[in-house]
Amino acid sequence: MAVTQSDIDLAEYIDHTLLNPLATPEAIAQLCEQADSLHFAAVCVYPIHVRQAVELLHNKSPKVCTVIGFPSGASTATVKRYEAQEALENGATELDVVINVGWLKQGNLDALYQELADICALSQYPVKAILETTLLTNEEKRIGAKVCIDAGTAFIKTSTGWHGGATVEDVRLLKEITRDRVGIKASGGIQSPAQALDLILAGASRLGTSRGVELIQRRNAGE
């Protein structure tokens, strides 16, 4: 039987995201409380907020995700590896790593692979590789996704949100490319419950959004 929108528990797909550099400890506390009360999959915060989020969500179901090399992906491999190591030491249990998009577009695939493989080797927890799909051709998406899978990432993520966001077409393409070997995280520009559900039906297994509470409220209101 085909899955329909009404079958989907939207909350369990959401990475409740706050990546505003002006975020206060009070805002992080609110984010964590919302994630816990609504049973979101995770919170996603900057590395500076990981320890607070870990303390607030201790023994609770949402995971603590942080971003590495965000938002450009253009840090050196050494810097990204250190950032990932520190985040893990501070208690993060998921890492969203922005790939070096320049390397992908230039065909420097060995360096791209090694950077991701080194971070995956550090972590017993899932690593999500952010492709920044809006900057790529479909062939580059195929090549990039293959490198990420080979390097050991657990998810392919569409976007940072800084250059546009997820589309149903890109999620379908990634679903075709990955053949269920890894998860797909759709992120950036998710405006409505209907759009969120369409992304899930297209193949997304996580949604990155700062509008998680609004999406749940609007869905509960019948939108």
Side-chain angles (χ1 to χ4, degrees):
M1 184 182 297
V3 176
T4 65
Q5 289 192 355
S6 60
D7 298 321
I8 295 169
D9 180 356
L10 181 56
E12 69 182 20
Y13 287 83
I14 290 175
D15 285 4
H16 193 30
T17 302
L18 179 54
L19 294 173
N20 182 338
L22 302 181
T24 62
E26 292 77 16
I28 298 298
Q30 181 182 50
L31 184 86
C32 292
E33 191 280 327
Q34 290 168 339
D36 180 43
S37 64
L38 292 172
H39 308 291
F40 289 151
V43 297
C44 186
V45 297
Y46 274 117
I48 193 70
H49 300 300
V50 165
R51 280 190 177 179
Q52 182 190 1
V54 167
E55 290 171 0
L56 291 170
L57 291 171
H58 181 64
N59 286 334
K60 297 179 179 178
S61 62
K63 299 174 176 63
V64 176
C65 174
T66 195
V67 287
I68 306 299
F70 190 89
S72 73
S75 304
T76 67
T78 300
V79 168
K80 284 186 183 176
R81 187 167 58 249
Y82 179 83
E83 190 175 27
Q85 181 65 57
E86 184 180 46
L88 294 166
E89 290 172 357
N90 287 337
T93 53
E94 294 189 350
L95 303 176
D96 284 17
V97 181
V98 187
I99 72 163
N100 189 313
V101 183
W103 282 349
L104 174 55
K105 295 187 79 69
Q106 295 155 23
N108 194 357
L109 304 183
D110 288 343
L112 180 63
Y113 168 87
Q114 195 61 56
E115 177 179 90
L116 290 169
D118 286 348
I119 292 172
C120 290
L122 287 174
S123 178
Q124 61 180 303
Y125 300 112
V127 173
K128 309 189 199 94
I130 306 176
L131 286 185
E132 206 68 282
T133 47
T134 59
L135 302 181
L136 304 176
T137 66
N138 282 354
E139 181 60 20
E140 287 167 342
K141 293 166 197 173
R142 291 181 185 278
I143 294 168
K146 183 179 186 305
V147 171
C148 294
I149 293 168
D150 289 347
T153 63
F155 285 79
I156 306 296
K157 179 175 170 181
T158 60
S159 321
T160 61
W162 284 61
H163 303 281
T167 66
V168 166
E169 292 74 20
D170 274 340
V171 170
R172 284 180 180 150
L173 178 63
L174 292 174
K175 182 76 169 176
E176 173 197 325
I177 294 166
T178 61
R179 292 180 294 175
D180 294 323
R181 289 172 289 174
V182 297
I184 297 169
K185 179 174 174 179
S187 184
I190 301 173
Q191 304 283 347
S192 69
Q195 183 187 6
L197 293 165
D198 284 345
L199 290 166
I200 293 168
L201 290 173
S205 43
R206 287 284 189 90
L207 304 176
T209 178
S210 60
R211 296 185 174 91
V213 174
E214 175 191 342
L215 293 176
I216 298 300
Q217 290 173 340
R218 288 172 62 184
R219 192 185 189 203
N220 289 344
E223 288 192 38

